[in-house]
Amino acid sequence: MSSIFNGRSLALACVAASLTLVAACQSGRPAAPAASSAALPTMERVALGASGCWFKSGDAAFKAYRLAPELNSFSGRPRILIVPRKSPESRPLAVVEAEGQPARLQAFGPLMSEPVGTRIAADVRRWAAGGKGCS
């Protein structure tokens, strides 16, 4: 009778060990990757958001303007420019740039003091933090 209990004990021990190994191999859902906070990836997110929400959507507030991204900056300050639609070579009306790790954003230009400036600032903050969508 002792050998029966030893056999059962051994079987139970094997089952418990197997379950422990299987549980150890499984992981929960992988965590979503955090949005990179470096200047270039931050400005890439901002440029994609601006392009889709302000310009490609046909937003009336931005009809008179054009987006001019300058993400490949050798100065370490990737930026986007908002320029007049009919005169893209003229002085930018708004500049949004980032620098450093974590990125420090700065937005400036005459358009930032117009009513649309508060929307630009809010959208840029949201996209820089990894948010999606349009306001």
Side-chain angles (χ1 to χ4, degrees):
M1 188 145 160
S2 171
S3 67
I4 292 175
F5 287 117
N6 279 344
R8 282 188 183 165
S9 295
L10 182 60
L12 285 174
C14 286
V15 168
S18 296
L19 289 175
T20 301
L21 286 173
V22 169
C25 290
Q26 294 182 357
S27 63
R29 295 177 81 184
S36 175
S37 62
L40 181 59
T42 298
M43 285 309 299
E44 287 172 340
R45 287 191 303 275
V46 170
L48 287 172
S51 176
C53 292
W54 298 341
F55 298 97
K56 288 183 180 176
S57 69
D59 189 318
F62 292 92
K63 282 252 189 241
Y65 312 113
R66 176 183 289 183
L67 181 69
E70 294 182 350
L71 300 177
N72 294 331
S73 168
F74 294 106
S75 69
R77 290 183 177 181
R79 63 188 189 166
I80 61 169
L81 310 175
I82 299 174
V83 297
R85 174 172 289 290
K86 295 186 179 191
S87 182
E89 70 285 346
S90 62
R91 182 181 300 186
L93 299 171
V95 177
V96 180
E97 66 181 12
E99 180 180 24
Q101 166 74 20
R104 292 175 306 280
L105 274 87
Q106 188 176 21
F108 53 91
L111 197 57
M112 297 306 293
S113 59
E114 298 292 324
V116 75
T118 55
R119 179 173 164 205
I120 291 171
D123 286 346
V124 165
R125 277 192 300 272
R126 184 178 65 255
W127 296 325
K132 306 227 187 283
C134 305
S135 57

